PDB file of all heavy atoms in Angstrom:
ATOM      1  N   GLU A   7      -6.280  -1.034  -9.410  1.00  0.00           N
ATOM      2  CA  GLU A   7      -5.245  -1.838  -9.934  1.00  0.00           C
ATOM      3  C   GLU A   7      -4.306  -2.308  -8.700  1.00  0.00           C
ATOM      4  O   GLU A   7      -3.902  -3.479  -8.700  1.00  0.00           O
ATOM      5  CB  GLU A   7      -4.324  -1.020 -10.883  1.00  0.00           C
ATOM      6  CG  GLU A   7      -4.963  -0.828 -12.254  1.00  0.00           C
ATOM      7  CD  GLU A   7      -4.179   0.270 -13.174  1.00  0.00           C
ATOM      8  OE1 GLU A   7      -3.042   0.580 -12.700  1.00  0.00           O
ATOM      9  OE2 GLU A   7      -4.758   0.622 -14.093  1.00  0.00           O
ATOM     10  N   GLN A   8      -4.083  -1.417  -7.745  1.00  0.00           N
ATOM     11  CA  GLN A   8      -3.271  -1.775  -6.638  1.00  0.00           C
ATOM     12  C   GLN A   8      -3.965  -2.894  -5.770  1.00  0.00           C
ATOM     13  O   GLN A   8      -3.330  -3.803  -5.293  1.00  0.00           O
ATOM     14  CB  GLN A   8      -2.965  -0.605  -5.788  1.00  0.00           C
ATOM     15  CG  GLN A   8      -2.071   0.403  -6.391  1.00  0.00           C
ATOM     16  CD  GLN A   8      -0.726  -0.131  -6.775  1.00  0.00           C
ATOM     17  OE1 GLN A   8      -0.025  -0.636  -5.862  1.00  0.00           O
ATOM     18  NE2 GLN A   8      -0.233  -0.018  -7.984  1.00  0.00           N
ATOM     19  N   PHE A   9      -5.307  -2.696  -5.599  1.00  0.00           N
ATOM     20  CA  PHE A   9      -6.042  -3.714  -4.846  1.00  0.00           C
ATOM     21  C   PHE A   9      -6.115  -5.050  -5.605  1.00  0.00           C
ATOM     22  O   PHE A   9      -6.016  -6.113  -4.907  1.00  0.00           O
ATOM     23  CB  PHE A   9      -7.413  -3.208  -4.486  1.00  0.00           C
ATOM     24  CG  PHE A   9      -7.482  -2.683  -3.127  1.00  0.00           C
ATOM     25  CD1 PHE A   9      -7.070  -1.363  -2.928  1.00  0.00           C
ATOM     26  CD2 PHE A   9      -7.979  -3.458  -2.070  1.00  0.00           C
ATOM     27  CE1 PHE A   9      -7.150  -0.826  -1.607  1.00  0.00           C
ATOM     28  CE2 PHE A   9      -7.982  -2.896  -0.810  1.00  0.00           C
ATOM     29  CZ  PHE A   9      -7.568  -1.598  -0.559  1.00  0.00           C
ATOM     30  N   ILE A  10      -6.124  -5.033  -6.866  1.00  0.00           N
ATOM     31  CA  ILE A  10      -6.168  -6.278  -7.600  1.00  0.00           C
ATOM     32  C   ILE A  10      -4.849  -6.945  -7.539  1.00  0.00           C
ATOM     33  O   ILE A  10      -4.730  -8.137  -7.314  1.00  0.00           O
ATOM     34  CB  ILE A  10      -6.486  -5.979  -9.104  1.00  0.00           C
ATOM     35  CG1 ILE A  10      -8.015  -5.654  -9.292  1.00  0.00           C
ATOM     36  CG2 ILE A  10      -6.159  -7.202 -10.004  1.00  0.00           C
ATOM     37  CD1 ILE A  10      -8.365  -5.089 -10.675  1.00  0.00           C
ATOM     38  N   GLU A  11      -3.811  -6.169  -7.507  1.00  0.00           N
ATOM     39  CA  GLU A  11      -2.403  -6.737  -7.331  1.00  0.00           C
ATOM     40  C   GLU A  11      -2.298  -7.350  -5.902  1.00  0.00           C
ATOM     41  O   GLU A  11      -1.681  -8.433  -5.774  1.00  0.00           O
ATOM     42  CB  GLU A  11      -1.341  -5.609  -7.539  1.00  0.00           C
ATOM     43  CG  GLU A  11       0.048  -6.066  -7.579  1.00  0.00           C
ATOM     44  CD  GLU A  11       0.963  -4.938  -7.843  1.00  0.00           C
ATOM     45  OE1 GLU A  11       0.829  -4.292  -8.932  1.00  0.00           O
ATOM     46  OE2 GLU A  11       1.885  -4.719  -7.039  1.00  0.00           O
ATOM     47  N   MET A  12      -2.832  -6.750  -4.895  1.00  0.00           N
ATOM     48  CA  MET A  12      -2.733  -7.212  -3.550  1.00  0.00           C
ATOM     49  C   MET A  12      -3.696  -8.332  -3.178  1.00  0.00           C
ATOM     50  O   MET A  12      -3.346  -9.156  -2.437  1.00  0.00           O
ATOM     51  CB  MET A  12      -2.890  -6.019  -2.584  1.00  0.00           C
ATOM     52  CG  MET A  12      -1.754  -5.023  -2.550  1.00  0.00           C
ATOM     53  SD  MET A  12      -2.002  -3.786  -1.225  1.00  0.00           S
ATOM     54  CE  MET A  12      -3.404  -2.798  -1.867  1.00  0.00           C
ATOM     55  N   THR A  13      -4.962  -8.235  -3.768  1.00  0.00           N
ATOM     56  CA  THR A  13      -6.022  -9.153  -3.316  1.00  0.00           C
ATOM     57  C   THR A  13      -6.597  -9.984  -4.373  1.00  0.00           C
ATOM     58  O   THR A  13      -7.372 -10.875  -4.078  1.00  0.00           O
ATOM     59  CB  THR A  13      -7.110  -8.337  -2.585  1.00  0.00           C
ATOM     60  OG1 THR A  13      -7.768  -7.554  -3.553  1.00  0.00           O
ATOM     61  CG2 THR A  13      -6.575  -7.435  -1.463  1.00  0.00           C
ATOM     62  N   GLY A  14      -6.383  -9.619  -5.658  1.00  0.00           N
ATOM     63  CA  GLY A  14      -7.049 -10.277  -6.727  1.00  0.00           C
ATOM     64  C   GLY A  14      -8.334  -9.634  -7.053  1.00  0.00           C
ATOM     65  O   GLY A  14      -9.027 -10.078  -8.028  1.00  0.00           O
ATOM     66  N   GLN A  15      -8.763  -8.564  -6.355  1.00  0.00           N
ATOM     67  CA  GLN A  15     -10.034  -7.928  -6.601  1.00  0.00           C
ATOM     68  C   GLN A  15      -9.909  -6.472  -6.466  1.00  0.00           C
ATOM     69  O   GLN A  15      -9.088  -5.949  -5.702  1.00  0.00           O
ATOM     70  CB  GLN A  15     -11.112  -8.397  -5.593  1.00  0.00           C
ATOM     71  CG  GLN A  15     -11.394  -9.963  -5.712  1.00  0.00           C
ATOM     72  CD  GLN A  15     -12.381 -10.314  -4.601  1.00  0.00           C
ATOM     73  OE1 GLN A  15     -13.428  -9.696  -4.456  1.00  0.00           O
ATOM     74  NE2 GLN A  15     -12.009 -11.321  -3.838  1.00  0.00           N
ATOM     75  N   PRO A  16     -10.754  -5.676  -7.195  1.00  0.00           N
ATOM     76  CA  PRO A  16     -10.721  -4.227  -7.080  1.00  0.00           C
ATOM     77  C   PRO A  16     -11.260  -3.767  -5.751  1.00  0.00           C
ATOM     78  O   PRO A  16     -11.851  -4.518  -5.031  1.00  0.00           O
ATOM     79  CB  PRO A  16     -11.610  -3.711  -8.228  1.00  0.00           C
ATOM     80  CG  PRO A  16     -12.541  -4.871  -8.510  1.00  0.00           C
ATOM     81  CD  PRO A  16     -11.808  -6.113  -8.139  1.00  0.00           C
ATOM     82  N   PHE A  17     -10.944  -2.551  -5.396  1.00  0.00           N
ATOM     83  CA  PHE A  17     -11.483  -1.982  -4.144  1.00  0.00           C
ATOM     84  C   PHE A  17     -12.963  -1.621  -4.417  1.00  0.00           C
ATOM     85  O   PHE A  17     -13.297  -0.644  -5.105  1.00  0.00           O
ATOM     86  CB  PHE A  17     -10.716  -0.684  -3.706  1.00  0.00           C
ATOM     87  CG  PHE A  17     -11.090  -0.188  -2.366  1.00  0.00           C
ATOM     88  CD1 PHE A  17     -10.590  -0.677  -1.227  1.00  0.00           C
ATOM     89  CD2 PHE A  17     -12.099   0.799  -2.229  1.00  0.00           C
ATOM     90  CE1 PHE A  17     -10.940  -0.203   0.050  1.00  0.00           C
ATOM     91  CE2 PHE A  17     -12.501   1.306  -1.040  1.00  0.00           C
ATOM     92  CZ  PHE A  17     -11.900   0.794   0.131  1.00  0.00           C
ATOM     93  N   ASP A  18     -13.847  -2.402  -3.847  1.00  0.00           N
ATOM     94  CA  ASP A  18     -15.256  -2.181  -4.132  1.00  0.00           C
ATOM     95  C   ASP A  18     -16.056  -1.774  -2.882  1.00  0.00           C
ATOM     96  O   ASP A  18     -17.280  -1.787  -2.822  1.00  0.00           O
ATOM     97  CB  ASP A  18     -15.948  -3.317  -4.892  1.00  0.00           C
ATOM     98  CG  ASP A  18     -15.820  -4.634  -4.106  1.00  0.00           C
ATOM     99  OD1 ASP A  18     -15.282  -4.594  -3.012  1.00  0.00           O
ATOM    100  OD2 ASP A  18     -16.283  -5.603  -4.610  1.00  0.00           O
ATOM    101  N   MET A  19     -15.377  -1.472  -1.744  1.00  0.00           N
ATOM    102  CA  MET A  19     -16.023  -0.987  -0.503  1.00  0.00           C
ATOM    103  C   MET A  19     -16.590   0.336  -0.810  1.00  0.00           C
ATOM    104  O   MET A  19     -15.916   1.257  -1.304  1.00  0.00           O
ATOM    105  CB  MET A  19     -15.041  -0.905   0.643  1.00  0.00           C
ATOM    106  CG  MET A  19     -15.709  -0.415   1.918  1.00  0.00           C
ATOM    107  SD  MET A  19     -14.467  -0.135   3.224  1.00  0.00           S
ATOM    108  CE  MET A  19     -14.134  -1.814   3.764  1.00  0.00           C
ATOM    109  N   ARG A  20     -17.790   0.539  -0.493  1.00  0.00           N
ATOM    110  CA  ARG A  20     -18.489   1.879  -0.633  1.00  0.00           C
ATOM    111  C   ARG A  20     -18.942   2.339   0.682  1.00  0.00           C
ATOM    112  O   ARG A  20     -19.952   1.755   1.246  1.00  0.00           O
ATOM    113  CB  ARG A  20     -19.625   1.770  -1.655  1.00  0.00           C
ATOM    114  CG  ARG A  20     -19.171   1.391  -3.001  1.00  0.00           C
ATOM    115  CD  ARG A  20     -18.294   2.426  -3.697  1.00  0.00           C
ATOM    116  NE  ARG A  20     -17.577   1.962  -4.859  1.00  0.00           N
ATOM    117  CZ  ARG A  20     -16.334   1.886  -4.985  1.00  0.00           C
ATOM    118  NH1 ARG A  20     -15.507   2.311  -4.018  1.00  0.00           N
ATOM    119  NH2 ARG A  20     -15.776   1.428  -6.098  1.00  0.00           N
ATOM    120  N   PRO A  21     -18.293   3.308   1.273  1.00  0.00           N
ATOM    121  CA  PRO A  21     -18.775   3.741   2.578  1.00  0.00           C
ATOM    122  C   PRO A  21     -20.143   4.351   2.590  1.00  0.00           C
ATOM    123  O   PRO A  21     -20.581   5.013   1.557  1.00  0.00           O
ATOM    124  CB  PRO A  21     -17.721   4.816   3.003  1.00  0.00           C
ATOM    125  CG  PRO A  21     -16.934   5.087   1.778  1.00  0.00           C
ATOM    126  CD  PRO A  21     -17.196   4.042   0.722  1.00  0.00           C
ATOM    127  N   ALA A  22     -20.851   4.149   3.673  1.00  0.00           N
ATOM    128  CA  ALA A  22     -22.203   4.768   3.798  1.00  0.00           C
ATOM    129  C   ALA A  22     -22.093   6.142   4.319  1.00  0.00           C
ATOM    130  O   ALA A  22     -21.178   6.556   4.988  1.00  0.00           O
ATOM    131  CB  ALA A  22     -22.999   3.864   4.719  1.00  0.00           C
ATOM    132  N   GLY A  23     -23.154   6.919   4.022  1.00  0.00           N
ATOM    133  CA  GLY A  23     -23.252   8.245   4.630  1.00  0.00           C
ATOM    134  C   GLY A  23     -22.119   9.180   4.442  1.00  0.00           C
ATOM    135  O   GLY A  23     -21.679   9.368   3.327  1.00  0.00           O
ATOM    136  N   TYR A  24     -21.680   9.666   5.542  1.00  0.00           N
ATOM    137  CA  TYR A  24     -20.569  10.744   5.519  1.00  0.00           C
ATOM    138  C   TYR A  24     -19.219  10.103   5.732  1.00  0.00           C
ATOM    139  O   TYR A  24     -18.206  10.823   6.046  1.00  0.00           O
ATOM    140  CB  TYR A  24     -20.912  11.790   6.540  1.00  0.00           C
ATOM    141  CG  TYR A  24     -21.055  11.356   7.995  1.00  0.00           C
ATOM    142  CD1 TYR A  24     -19.917  11.200   8.740  1.00  0.00           C
ATOM    143  CD2 TYR A  24     -22.219  10.919   8.405  1.00  0.00           C
ATOM    144  CE1 TYR A  24     -19.999  10.750  10.054  1.00  0.00           C
ATOM    145  CE2 TYR A  24     -22.347  10.390   9.797  1.00  0.00           C
ATOM    146  CZ  TYR A  24     -21.245  10.330  10.505  1.00  0.00           C
ATOM    147  OH  TYR A  24     -21.337   9.844  11.775  1.00  0.00           O
ATOM    148  N   LEU A  25     -19.093   8.785   5.636  1.00  0.00           N
ATOM    149  CA  LEU A  25     -17.779   8.189   5.919  1.00  0.00           C
ATOM    150  C   LEU A  25     -16.869   8.165   4.763  1.00  0.00           C
ATOM    151  O   LEU A  25     -17.259   8.204   3.583  1.00  0.00           O
ATOM    152  CB  LEU A  25     -18.026   6.696   6.434  1.00  0.00           C
ATOM    153  CG  LEU A  25     -18.831   6.549   7.723  1.00  0.00           C
ATOM    154  CD1 LEU A  25     -18.991   5.137   8.042  1.00  0.00           C
ATOM    155  CD2 LEU A  25     -18.010   7.224   8.887  1.00  0.00           C
ATOM    156  N   VAL A  26     -15.549   8.125   5.109  1.00  0.00           N
ATOM    157  CA  VAL A  26     -14.463   8.090   4.092  1.00  0.00           C
ATOM    158  C   VAL A  26     -13.692   6.783   4.383  1.00  0.00           C
ATOM    159  O   VAL A  26     -13.356   6.534   5.501  1.00  0.00           O
ATOM    160  CB  VAL A  26     -13.523   9.343   4.220  1.00  0.00           C
ATOM    161  CG1 VAL A  26     -12.353   9.238   3.298  1.00  0.00           C
ATOM    162  CG2 VAL A  26     -14.292  10.628   4.056  1.00  0.00           C
ATOM    163  N   ALA A  27     -13.437   6.021   3.329  1.00  0.00           N
ATOM    164  CA  ALA A  27     -12.697   4.755   3.412  1.00  0.00           C
ATOM    165  C   ALA A  27     -11.283   5.060   2.973  1.00  0.00           C
ATOM    166  O   ALA A  27     -11.040   5.609   1.912  1.00  0.00           O
ATOM    167  CB  ALA A  27     -13.318   3.661   2.530  1.00  0.00           C
ATOM    168  N   VAL A  28     -10.300   4.734   3.795  1.00  0.00           N
ATOM    169  CA  VAL A  28      -8.901   4.972   3.496  1.00  0.00           C
ATOM    170  C   VAL A  28      -8.128   3.689   3.733  1.00  0.00           C
ATOM    171  O   VAL A  28      -8.285   2.905   4.605  1.00  0.00           O
ATOM    172  CB  VAL A  28      -8.320   6.144   4.411  1.00  0.00           C
ATOM    173  CG1 VAL A  28      -9.137   7.412   4.095  1.00  0.00           C
ATOM    174  CG2 VAL A  28      -8.397   5.801   5.848  1.00  0.00           C
ATOM    175  N   LYS A  29      -7.065   3.588   2.918  1.00  0.00           N
ATOM    176  CA  LYS A  29      -6.071   2.500   3.046  1.00  0.00           C
ATOM    177  C   LYS A  29      -4.926   3.050   3.935  1.00  0.00           C
ATOM    178  O   LYS A  29      -4.324   4.062   3.579  1.00  0.00           O
ATOM    179  CB  LYS A  29      -5.551   2.040   1.722  1.00  0.00           C
ATOM    180  CG  LYS A  29      -4.452   0.990   1.817  1.00  0.00           C
ATOM    181  CD  LYS A  29      -3.819   0.713   0.526  1.00  0.00           C
ATOM    182  CE  LYS A  29      -2.619  -0.167   0.642  1.00  0.00           C
ATOM    183  NZ  LYS A  29      -1.501   0.434   1.481  1.00  0.00           N
ATOM    184  N   ILE A  30      -4.697   2.444   5.013  1.00  0.00           N
ATOM    185  CA  ILE A  30      -3.641   2.825   5.961  1.00  0.00           C
ATOM    186  C   ILE A  30      -2.277   2.656   5.283  1.00  0.00           C
ATOM    187  O   ILE A  30      -2.019   1.574   4.701  1.00  0.00           O
ATOM    188  CB  ILE A  30      -3.716   2.033   7.265  1.00  0.00           C
ATOM    189  CG1 ILE A  30      -5.097   2.217   7.918  1.00  0.00           C
ATOM    190  CG2 ILE A  30      -2.673   2.457   8.226  1.00  0.00           C
ATOM    191  CD1 ILE A  30      -5.475   3.655   8.263  1.00  0.00           C
ATOM    192  N   TYR A  31      -1.403   3.674   5.422  1.00  0.00           N
ATOM    193  CA  TYR A  31      -0.047   3.505   4.793  1.00  0.00           C
ATOM    194  C   TYR A  31       0.791   2.605   5.716  1.00  0.00           C
ATOM    195  O   TYR A  31       0.902   2.789   6.901  1.00  0.00           O
ATOM    196  CB  TYR A  31       0.606   4.895   4.715  1.00  0.00           C
ATOM    197  CG  TYR A  31       1.997   4.792   4.223  1.00  0.00           C
ATOM    198  CD1 TYR A  31       2.316   4.453   2.890  1.00  0.00           C
ATOM    199  CD2 TYR A  31       3.068   5.083   5.048  1.00  0.00           C
ATOM    200  CE1 TYR A  31       3.569   4.358   2.461  1.00  0.00           C
ATOM    201  CE2 TYR A  31       4.387   5.012   4.577  1.00  0.00           C
ATOM    202  CZ  TYR A  31       4.636   4.693   3.262  1.00  0.00           C
ATOM    203  OH  TYR A  31       5.938   4.633   2.835  1.00  0.00           O
ATOM    204  N   ILE A  32       1.354   1.577   5.069  1.00  0.00           N
ATOM    205  CA  ILE A  32       2.309   0.650   5.756  1.00  0.00           C
ATOM    206  C   ILE A  32       3.607   0.830   4.970  1.00  0.00           C
ATOM    207  O   ILE A  32       3.614   0.562   3.755  1.00  0.00           O
ATOM    208  CB  ILE A  32       1.762  -0.766   5.816  1.00  0.00           C
ATOM    209  CG1 ILE A  32       0.494  -0.748   6.656  1.00  0.00           C
ATOM    210  CG2 ILE A  32       2.872  -1.704   6.432  1.00  0.00           C
ATOM    211  CD1 ILE A  32      -0.196  -2.072   6.658  1.00  0.00           C
ATOM    212  N   ARG A  33       4.730   1.083   5.681  1.00  0.00           N
ATOM    213  CA  ARG A  33       5.978   1.198   4.986  1.00  0.00           C
ATOM    214  C   ARG A  33       6.343   0.007   4.209  1.00  0.00           C
ATOM    215  O   ARG A  33       6.038  -1.077   4.628  1.00  0.00           O
ATOM    216  CB  ARG A  33       7.013   1.560   6.041  1.00  0.00           C
ATOM    217  CG  ARG A  33       6.908   2.967   6.649  1.00  0.00           C
ATOM    218  CD  ARG A  33       7.794   3.246   7.672  1.00  0.00           C
ATOM    219  NE  ARG A  33       7.376   2.475   8.963  1.00  0.00           N
ATOM    220  CZ  ARG A  33       7.984   2.570  10.095  1.00  0.00           C
ATOM    221  NH1 ARG A  33       9.034   3.350  10.273  1.00  0.00           N
ATOM    222  NH2 ARG A  33       7.455   1.952  11.123  1.00  0.00           N
ATOM    223  N   PRO A  34       7.080   0.193   3.118  1.00  0.00           N
ATOM    224  CA  PRO A  34       7.468  -0.945   2.300  1.00  0.00           C
ATOM    225  C   PRO A  34       8.490  -1.844   3.085  1.00  0.00           C
ATOM    226  O   PRO A  34       9.203  -1.317   4.001  1.00  0.00           O
ATOM    227  CB  PRO A  34       8.093  -0.363   1.069  1.00  0.00           C
ATOM    228  CG  PRO A  34       8.332   1.115   1.380  1.00  0.00           C
ATOM    229  CD  PRO A  34       7.449   1.477   2.534  1.00  0.00           C
ATOM    230  N   GLU A  35       8.523  -3.059   2.770  1.00  0.00           N
ATOM    231  CA  GLU A  35       9.432  -4.019   3.470  1.00  0.00           C
ATOM    232  C   GLU A  35      10.872  -3.593   3.195  1.00  0.00           C
ATOM    233  O   GLU A  35      11.696  -3.618   4.155  1.00  0.00           O
ATOM    234  CB  GLU A  35       9.166  -5.454   2.976  1.00  0.00           C
ATOM    235  CG  GLU A  35      10.078  -6.492   3.542  1.00  0.00           C
ATOM    236  CD  GLU A  35       9.880  -7.836   2.991  1.00  0.00           C
ATOM    237  OE1 GLU A  35       9.295  -7.983   1.888  1.00  0.00           O
ATOM    238  OE2 GLU A  35      10.232  -8.785   3.682  1.00  0.00           O
ATOM    239  N   GLU A  36      11.164  -3.235   1.954  1.00  0.00           N
ATOM    240  CA  GLU A  36      12.555  -2.883   1.630  1.00  0.00           C
ATOM    241  C   GLU A  36      12.718  -1.365   1.866  1.00  0.00           C
ATOM    242  O   GLU A  36      12.040  -0.559   1.232  1.00  0.00           O
ATOM    243  CB  GLU A  36      12.800  -3.237   0.223  1.00  0.00           C
ATOM    244  CG  GLU A  36      14.272  -3.014  -0.204  1.00  0.00           C
ATOM    245  CD  GLU A  36      14.493  -3.441  -1.660  1.00  0.00           C
ATOM    246  OE1 GLU A  36      14.123  -4.585  -1.959  1.00  0.00           O
ATOM    247  OE2 GLU A  36      15.016  -2.646  -2.419  1.00  0.00           O
ATOM    248  N   LEU A  37      13.582  -0.992   2.829  1.00  0.00           N
ATOM    249  CA  LEU A  37      13.830   0.403   3.109  1.00  0.00           C
ATOM    250  C   LEU A  37      14.694   1.027   2.097  1.00  0.00           C
ATOM    251  O   LEU A  37      14.264   2.039   1.464  1.00  0.00           O
ATOM    252  CB  LEU A  37      14.495   0.567   4.433  1.00  0.00           C
ATOM    253  CG  LEU A  37      13.606   0.416   5.622  1.00  0.00           C
ATOM    254  CD1 LEU A  37      14.467   0.604   6.924  1.00  0.00           C
ATOM    255  CD2 LEU A  37      12.545   1.482   5.688  1.00  0.00           C
ATOM    256  N   LYS A  38      15.855   0.518   1.749  1.00  0.00           N
ATOM    257  CA  LYS A  38      16.695   1.086   0.757  1.00  0.00           C
ATOM    258  C   LYS A  38      17.913   0.115   0.592  1.00  0.00           C
ATOM    259  O   LYS A  38      18.176  -0.765   1.411  1.00  0.00           O
ATOM    260  CB  LYS A  38      17.199   2.470   1.204  1.00  0.00           C
ATOM    261  CG  LYS A  38      18.117   2.422   2.459  1.00  0.00           C
ATOM    262  CD  LYS A  38      18.512   3.908   2.779  1.00  0.00           C
ATOM    263  CE  LYS A  38      19.137   4.012   4.124  1.00  0.00           C
ATOM    264  NZ  LYS A  38      19.576   5.302   4.475  1.00  0.00           N
ATOM    265  N   THR A  39      18.546   0.328  -0.563  1.00  0.00           N
ATOM    266  CA  THR A  39      19.725  -0.359  -0.869  1.00  0.00           C
ATOM    267  C   THR A  39      20.936   0.518  -0.899  1.00  0.00           C
ATOM    268  O   THR A  39      20.861   1.680  -1.474  1.00  0.00           O
ATOM    269  CB  THR A  39      19.638  -1.123  -2.219  1.00  0.00           C
ATOM    270  OG1 THR A  39      18.515  -2.027  -2.184  1.00  0.00           O
ATOM    271  CG2 THR A  39      20.889  -1.881  -2.636  1.00  0.00           C
ATOM    272  N   ILE A  40      21.973   0.256  -0.123  1.00  0.00           N
ATOM    273  CA  ILE A  40      23.146   1.031  -0.134  1.00  0.00           C
ATOM    274  C   ILE A  40      24.335   0.399  -0.760  1.00  0.00           C
ATOM    275  O   ILE A  40      24.475  -0.880  -0.713  1.00  0.00           O
ATOM    276  CB  ILE A  40      23.500   1.548   1.338  1.00  0.00           C
ATOM    277  CG1 ILE A  40      23.624   0.269   2.194  1.00  0.00           C
ATOM    278  CG2 ILE A  40      22.428   2.481   1.887  1.00  0.00           C
ATOM    279  CD1 ILE A  40      24.189   0.716   3.587  1.00  0.00           C
ATOM    280  N   LYS A  41      25.223   1.174  -1.392  1.00  0.00           N
ATOM    281  CA  LYS A  41      26.375   0.649  -2.023  1.00  0.00           C
ATOM    282  C   LYS A  41      27.543   0.832  -1.138  1.00  0.00           C
ATOM    283  O   LYS A  41      27.844   2.007  -0.681  1.00  0.00           O
ATOM    284  CB  LYS A  41      26.614   1.359  -3.473  1.00  0.00           C
ATOM    285  CG  LYS A  41      27.548   0.588  -4.322  1.00  0.00           C
ATOM    286  CD  LYS A  41      27.520   1.212  -5.692  1.00  0.00           C
ATOM    287  CE  LYS A  41      27.978   0.053  -6.597  1.00  0.00           C
ATOM    288  NZ  LYS A  41      27.775   0.477  -7.988  1.00  0.00           N
ATOM    289  N   LYS A  42      28.281  -0.218  -0.771  1.00  0.00           N
ATOM    290  CA  LYS A  42      29.453  -0.095   0.049  1.00  0.00           C
ATOM    291  C   LYS A  42      30.693   0.316  -0.770  1.00  0.00           C
ATOM    292  O   LYS A  42      30.586   0.332  -2.015  1.00  0.00           O
ATOM    293  CB  LYS A  42      29.662  -1.422   0.739  1.00  0.00           C
ATOM    294  CG  LYS A  42      28.548  -1.767   1.715  1.00  0.00           C
ATOM    295  CD  LYS A  42      28.532  -3.191   2.325  1.00  0.00           C
ATOM    296  CE  LYS A  42      29.858  -3.724   2.606  1.00  0.00           C
ATOM    297  NZ  LYS A  42      29.835  -5.085   3.300  1.00  0.00           N
ATOM    298  N   GLU A  43      31.705   0.723  -0.090  1.00  0.00           N
ATOM    299  CA  GLU A  43      32.905   1.160  -0.732  1.00  0.00           C
ATOM    300  C   GLU A  43      33.529   0.105  -1.702  1.00  0.00           C
ATOM    301  O   GLU A  43      34.152   0.476  -2.694  1.00  0.00           O
ATOM    302  CB  GLU A  43      33.920   1.656   0.353  1.00  0.00           C
ATOM    303  CG  GLU A  43      33.538   2.928   0.949  1.00  0.00           C
ATOM    304  CD  GLU A  43      34.576   3.362   1.958  1.00  0.00           C
ATOM    305  OE1 GLU A  43      35.715   2.864   1.919  1.00  0.00           O
ATOM    306  OE2 GLU A  43      34.236   4.298   2.781  1.00  0.00           O
ATOM    307  N   ASP A  44      33.350  -1.149  -1.291  1.00  0.00           N
ATOM    308  CA  ASP A  44      33.897  -2.302  -2.165  1.00  0.00           C
ATOM    309  C   ASP A  44      33.082  -2.583  -3.395  1.00  0.00           C
ATOM    310  O   ASP A  44      33.343  -3.501  -4.038  1.00  0.00           O
ATOM    311  CB  ASP A  44      34.194  -3.489  -1.267  1.00  0.00           C
ATOM    312  CG  ASP A  44      32.871  -4.156  -0.789  1.00  0.00           C
ATOM    313  OD1 ASP A  44      31.778  -3.619  -1.088  1.00  0.00           O
ATOM    314  OD2 ASP A  44      32.964  -5.060   0.011  1.00  0.00           O
TER     315      ASP A  44
END
């Protein structure tokens, strides 16, 4: 579902042999929203 949202297609890479396929974590663009005193 996440890959369809990002790319329009599901994650269909199938690693060969003893390999593991991982999606590297990239921090979100929006860090946080803070409320000021006003």
Side-chain angles (χ1 to χ4, degrees):
E7 288 170 10
Q8 293 297 308
F9 263 80
I10 290 169
E11 190 176 301
M12 291 185 289
T13 69
Q15 299 177 48
F17 186 85
D18 59 0
M19 178 188 285
R20 297 295 166 239
Y24 59 89
L25 296 175
V26 177
V28 298
K29 179 190 170 296
I30 303 300
Y31 176 70
I32 298 174
R33 292 174 282 185
E35 178 182 22
E36 186 176 311
L37 282 179
K38 63 180 168 180
T39 300
I40 55 174
K41 195 169 203 169
K42 295 172 35 176
E43 289 181 17
D44 65 3

